[in-house]
Amino acid sequence: MNIDYLIVGSGLSALVFAALMAKSGQKVLILEAHEYPGGFGHTFEIAGKYKFNAQLHYVWDCGEGQAVNRILKKLDLDQQVTFEKYDINGFDHMRMPGYSLDIPSDNQVLIHRLGKLFPHHEQQIRRFLSEVQKVRKGLRFLTPPINLLQILQHPNETICAATYLNSTLQDVFDKFQLPLAAQTLLALQWPDFLLPPNQLSFYAWVILFTSYQAGAFYPTRHFEHVINSLVDTIKKHQGELLFNHEVKEFLVENRTIKGVRGINRVTKEFFEFTAANTICNLDPKKAAKMIGIHNFSPQVIKRLNYDYSPSNFVAYCVVKDIDLRDYGFGAWNTFHSEHSNLNMAFKQMYENHDYSQLSFAITTPTLLTNHERDCPEDCQIIEFLTVADYDYFHKLRDSDKKAYRQKKNEIFAQILDVMEKKYVPNFRKYLIFSMTGSPTTNERFCWCPQGNSYGSNLTPRNMGLGRLNHQTSLNNFYFCNASSGYPGFAPTFWTGAMLYQRLANDWFLGI
Ligand SMILES: Cc1cc2nc3c(=O)[nH]c(=O)nc-3n(C[C@H](O)[C@H](O)[C@H](O)COP(=O)(O)OP(=O)(O)OC[C@H]3O[C@@H](n4cnc5c(N)ncnc54)[C@H](O)[C@@H]3O)c2cc1C
């Protein structure tokens, strides 16, 4: 078989790249270690009746004319893969002791709401949020590939954005002297990064916050349909996807990647494929180790020297005989913190494994679309997410399985206690199914080193100028993954499409 593009991994950026290449007439073959496609975005089914997406909750850039929509149009999928908008009056509901704030799409409404909560600090809040908008504009011109002309045409925004290159969100909160409670309300979506304000890149926060303000979305027919539509497109254009195919080795000759070797995890048979080009969707650092780091250029070695983003704890749950809409849930996410200081809440949970003052996200996928259900008619799905330390859980699991299970149960019990106290009295009574995932679960099912959540950690160091891109310095070999682009549904769509544009010289999205 003559393969133009051999792709290792079927994460979102790989599927987008493969679908575009296959549609353009190239022969693509994807090798996926897992039994499902989609990587972090895969959907799994339990007991033949409940479906959960492993990680994805809400997404941006999916409106008409936005990047995801334009990529779907190019694939003739835009009519089939559609999205529902979250409530624009409050897509993220922030809840903490003494305060509650619904984040709206309209910035003026947000300023008004915060002004009412913090009347003595309205000016600071207004100045902070206007700086956020300015930085957002500037970042558009600073995001590679850089267009010098655009930078010269918008010097103000570009210089403003550039000054925050090394800033954390906390640095900017401090600069604008925002009161602590306002900081917490604005940063309560921290599980979207799994980093607290004092570690999180200001750029990462600005991009996500403003992008969701511009439109937070959920796929009309759930994430599984998005993934399946991409897979179907690949197959329709003679592409192939082989599951349970774990790549163990890259074939290297004179700094050129010729193909891969690996094992079929079901049949235990070995396989070998060669191809004109190899695309690496698995974690670039892990791939570089498999290949031998000495084969890469000093510049790429430097870029590969990133640290991983923290891992997480997820609880996938089903409730029955209750409508969560009667308890404050709906077409939005809820972010809850028992602690008023997110830096301290994070430290307690991540470093001390103490979840007594929880901060976590609550999502309700069944309330986001009416089209199809991921569970029986009389049930609803609800999911909880917070941070968890990989090393701690890994050691527990290997040394004491009982203690490992106990710790998972303990975190879940803390979540349920908060649910019962603050949201749904007797919540446990309605719970008919629950399953928890730890950092080691993440590693096992999403194949992510150290159970990382977003690839390289979203700190200023990793989000700055030395960020890895598609270039590997090896011949016929390209990175295509969140860590060599940007993490998230829309950003990995963009990462896959950008690589397609470069290699196919078909600039449908523009430069
Ligand atoms: C808890 C959590 C919540 C998130 N929530 C959101 C959200 O709400 N919205 C959003 O936009 N984004 C969210 N994300 C981020 C988003 O899911 C990811 O950034 C994105 O899916 C990553 O895609 P990727 O292309 O980098 O590939 P990955 O998803 O990393 O896929 C890599 C693929 O390679 C395969 N693989 C690995 N090793 C091998 C091997 N040796 N051989 C063969 N195959 C291999 C893996 O099985 C996997 O399928 C979330 C992430 C996490 C962890």
Side-chain angles (χ1 to χ4, degrees), residues 93-227:
H93 287 196
M94 312 310 209
R95 303 290 182 259
M96 61 183 273
Y99 291 93
S100 97
L101 171 74
D102 299 347
I103 308 281
S105 285
D106 188 320
N107 221 27
Q108 290 311 313
V109 178
L110 177 61
I111 291 171
H112 177 72
R113 284 181 189 169
L114 281 165
K116 271 174 76 181
L117 290 173
F118 306 98
H120 303 304
H121 295 87
E122 199 180 338
Q123 279 314 313
Q124 285 100 309
I125 289 166
R126 190 179 289 279
R127 284 211 305 273
F128 171 79
L129 287 172
S130 117
E131 189 84 334
V132 168
Q133 294 301 328
K134 200 167 167 188
V135 170
R136 180 64 181 120
K137 275 193 195 140
L139 281 177
R140 288 207 174 93
F141 312 126
L142 287 176
T143 306
I146 288 173
N147 178 339
L148 266 181
L149 188 65
Q150 280 197 325
I151 291 187
L152 293 173
Q153 282 167 347
H154 304 273
N156 252 341
E157 291 90 345
T158 313
I159 291 168
C160 172
T163 56
Y164 293 107
L165 177 67
N166 296 317
S167 300
T168 62
L169 174 58
Q170 190 62 52
D171 293 333
V172 190
F173 280 156
D174 292 344
K175 177 178 169 187
F176 286 85
Q177 298 183 334
L178 259 54
L180 179 63
Q183 297 178 19
T184 304
L185 290 171
L186 282 166
L188 244 175
Q189 75 300 84
W190 70 266
D192 290 350
F193 310 97
L194 288 157
L195 275 190
N198 65 0
Q199 293 181 49
L200 175 64
S201 149
F202 182 55
Y203 284 174
W205 183 83
V206 167
I207 292 167
L208 180 131
F209 188 82
T210 55
S211 299
Y212 279 139
Q213 269 196 308
F217 297 91
Y218 185 85
T220 309
R221 297 172 70 185
H222 301 283
F223 286 108
E224 187 183 27
H225 176 68
V226 183
I227 300 286

